[in-house]
Amino acid sequence: MWCERAVWDGEVASGVRLTVDTAGVVAAVETGANARPGDLVLRGVVFPAASNAHSHAFHRVLRGRTHAGGADSFWTWRQAMYQAAGALAPELYEELATAVFAEMVAAGYTSVAEFHYVHHRPDGTPYPGHAMELALGRAAQTAGIRLTLLDTCYLSGGFGQPLNQEQRRFADAGAEAWLRRLAGLRTAIEAEFDPAQVSVGAALHSVRAVPEEALNVIAAGLDPDLPLHLHVSEQPAENQACLAATGLTPVQLLDRYGLLGPQLSAVHATHLTDMDIELLGGAGATVVMCPSTEADLADGIGPAAALAAAGARIALGSDQHAVLDPWLEMRALEHGERLGSGIRGRFTPAALHTALSDGGAAAQARRAPGFAAGRMCDLMAVDPASTRTAGSDPAQLALSATAQDVTAVVVGGTLTAGHGRHLRLGDPGVLLAGAIRKLDEAAACTIETASGREPAAKGQP
């Protein structure tokens, strides 16, 4: 593979030629080289591809639909999310997730940590054979994106509160039941997929959804080698409820049960105390910022620079996919820091790319993408002369480019997408429109059935 120009660690090199092994790993690197016959040639400026550290694939349905105004908040947005979740079934979820993952690949993502909690039927009874989880694995395989499936523990509706009706399909009978199901899922995934393509990690939805007594059971029973993710301090109300119930912040509660460590990825971490920042940094944890979602939901601006200074690794996720654009996530991380501090240059362009690529890969316990021997040959090429990028310093394209400028996406040494299209699946927009239409029809049928009315005929209001 030959790159006209390549950027890594903030440096720009010309004529970068990579030798790639059969596993898609970079075996050798030359600079100042000429392309040879048979090389895949990438024009423009080439970067390590993006590693998406936090995704809820079905949330993509909500894009552009939750902005009616009025007394809107994260909590009212959540009701729309529950409605979408209630309509999912394995076949439909596979179609929708395939479209979402295709959109990710076309934007420059080559791996994704899918924070998955829609496990069961709407009434809480299990599907046979991990049907929802296997559907996500097949979707990732079809789209050509590496998937870390984060099977999520979800046991309560809040501190001391039972599950509500919408949450029943997320839940297991208790911490032990979740651990058993997780072990069974790992066996099922290993039997069907190459672990380099689809692997399993663990997630706790949040401390409000996993009671304190369950944390103790999980800390004792969870495989310490698994990546562990959870939503942390996304909302002030969560912190207040945790303090009232336990006398501790969510981060301090996790520390009490020995769950802080390099394997942990704390998602959002928006509303932290100074002690929380010290604990996460001292543990070498990853903090997954999702700037476009945090802005969309009015969550706030998290202390990313302070966390990095304390020793935490920063990663980036697209979460609810208000946008699917790794370049905008990088830019939003830096812009949030500038708005919060009044200081420019809180993260250098090189640091932004490290968060986007290496940070997200580390959160998934995967090889990082890039140009050095031993890294995955996962790359994205950018047009440096578009209306957005013309005149930009190649090393500073993180502050000017968007996914519209991505001309080629390489996954494991194979050209997989370019110019907004997936090479095998075509236009992700067409796939998304079809899947969302079907989900809307399923959601309308679910609502009418629950209300006691006869479902409307297909295509009718």
Side-chain angles (χ1 to χ4, degrees), residues 322-354:
V323 298
L324 259 175
D325 188 327
W327 299 85
L328 293 183
E329 299 293 353
M330 284 192 288
R331 195 132 71 246
L333 179 67
E334 169 62 12
H335 285 174
E337 280 290 324
R338 293 183 184 189
L339 289 169
S341 68
I343 301 170
R344 300 180 81 237
R346 300 278 279 180
F347 286 94
T348 65
L352 294 173
H353 279 286
T354 297

Side-chain angles (χ1 to χ4, degrees), residues 58 85-86 88 93 116-120 127 132-133 169-170:
F58 79 91
L88 292 172
Y93 203 6
H116 168 66
Y117 50 83
V118 188
H119 305 300
H120 309 304
Y127 288 106
M132 291 293 269
E133 291 75 23
R169 72 182 312 186
F170 308 159

Side-chain angles (χ1 to χ4, degrees), residues 65-100:
R65 296 181 167 199
T66 62
H67 308 282
D72 195 20
S73 70
F74 167 84
W75 306 101
T76 56
W77 170 90
R78 190 173 71 158
Q79 290 306 122
M81 181 270 289
Y82 284 160
Q83 182 177 327
L88 292 172
E91 184 177 353
L92 178 54
Y93 203 6
E94 182 174 345
E95 181 177 349
L96 174 63
T98 299
V100 175

